[in-house]
Every structure is written in structure tokens, then in C-alpha cells.
Amino acid sequence: HQHQYERINLSDTEKVEEVGRRRNALEKQLRTVLRNALRFAYGNKARDKVIASLQESRREKMMDHSLELLLSKDTSPLFFLDLVNIVNREWEVVKNVFEMEKNRVVLMLEEINRIGRPDAHAKAIEKDDFDQLRLYFNKLEAVLGEWA
């Protein structure tokens, strides 16, 4: 898979598909890494840390969920932005995973959230944005792949 995402001159459709695929895979890895790191750091208080990281308006809906469901690889009710907020809030617990500065990691994740959902918004991605996302994905996939 090493050269899977190096093709150039992709059509708009191919760009959207690549970004969607990589974003979904990254989101699953991030859920697994966060679940494991928070459980290790906080034990049975980990679920409370996840809920505390959510926007207030969403906390009550999630109160009945276990840590396993909240950060389930495939059935989590959390949004990508929720995961970014958890990383931001619980940085001390996950900083060793990323091996980069907090603001850099959060920026990359926020940009992936903002630009990386062309399937949900516009149907095209600007070339510069696409190239930047590829760099972010490469960085994050490399570090998360070791932990997920």
C-alpha cells in the first residue's frame, strides 16, 4: 500500500473518493487510539473524559453510552470534530502517540475535518487543498498506524 496514494492528475471524483476513504480510515484509527489511551490513563473514568470533551448540547444524549460505544471503531456516535476536541482537551494523554506539537496535530485534524468532507459539501477539492490533505494524511496515518 506504500504507493497507493501517490497518483497524480486525478479527476475530481477520484480526489473526493481518495480523501473520503482516507478520512474514514483515519477516523477509525483515531477512535481506537483515543479509546486505548484514555482507558490506560483514566481507567473507568475514561468515559467521563470523553463526555466532558463534547459540546454541552450533545453531552446528555451520550450519557448512557459506554466508552466502548463512544469510541467504537465502526459504530461510534461521535463526529470527527468530537475526536479533534478530545485530542485537544486530553493532549497530555495522547501526545506521545503523535510525536508532534499539539497545535500542529489539531490544525491537521481540523483541516481534514473542514476540507476532507467533499462528499458532504462541494463535489470538488482544489488542487492545493488536495495536496495539503495528502501530506496531513501521510503524517497522521504513519503515527496512528503504530498505535491503532
Side-chain angles (χ1 to χ4, degrees):
H1 287 341
Q2 190 174 358
H3 301 289
Q4 181 178 359
Y5 295 116
E6 293 180 10
R7 283 185 51 221
I8 55 175
N9 300 324
L10 277 69
S11 69
D12 285 343
T13 304
E14 289 171 318
K15 285 185 209 165
V16 167
E17 287 171 358
E18 177 181 321
V19 167
R21 214 175 22 253
R22 292 180 85 176
R23 183 184 189 276
N24 290 340
L26 186 76
E27 189 168 359
K28 288 179 181 198
Q29 287 182 313
L30 194 52
R31 287 180 191 150
T32 300
V33 167
L34 288 173
R35 186 187 67 225
N36 294 342
L38 292 168
R39 187 187 298 128
F40 182 77
Y42 299 118
N44 55 13
K45 298 265 186 255
R47 185 191 74 97
D48 299 340
K49 297 291 185 178
V50 171
I51 289 173
S53 298
L54 302 177
Q55 291 177 340
E56 210 166 321
S57 59
R58 301 193 53 235
R59 286 181 194 158
E60 199 168 322
K61 279 187 252 173
M62 303 296 169
M63 288 303 254
D64 295 336
H65 296 346
S66 66
L67 178 70
E68 278 60 38
L69 178 60
L70 286 170
L71 291 173
S72 162
K73 195 165 113 177
D74 297 311
T75 58
S76 171
L78 302 184
F79 304 130
F80 193 87
L81 193 56
D82 294 326
L83 302 179
V84 178
N85 290 338
I86 295 168
V87 168
N88 198 16
R89 188 176 171 124
E90 296 297 333
W91 180 252
E92 286 303 309
V93 172
V94 296
K95 68 181 180 185
N96 293 335
V97 170
F98 291 101
E99 302 166 356
M100 293 175 252
E101 309 85 48
K102 176 182 178 179
N103 56 359
R104 182 141 185 245
V105 171
V106 171
L107 172 82
M108 288 192 285
L109 292 170
E110 285 176 342
E111 288 289 283
I112 288 170
N113 187 60
R114 186 178 67 78
I115 306 165
R117 294 180 52 212
D119 49 324
H121 302 296
K123 292 294 180 205
I125 304 173
E126 297 293 321
K127 183 182 182 330
D128 288 348
D129 286 341
F130 180 71
D131 292 342
Q132 190 64 60
L133 284 182
R134 271 188 162 176
L135 294 173
Y136 292 162
F137 281 125
N138 289 345
K139 276 247 183 261
L140 292 168
E141 287 163 354
V143 294
L144 288 175
E146 293 180 26
W147 295 85

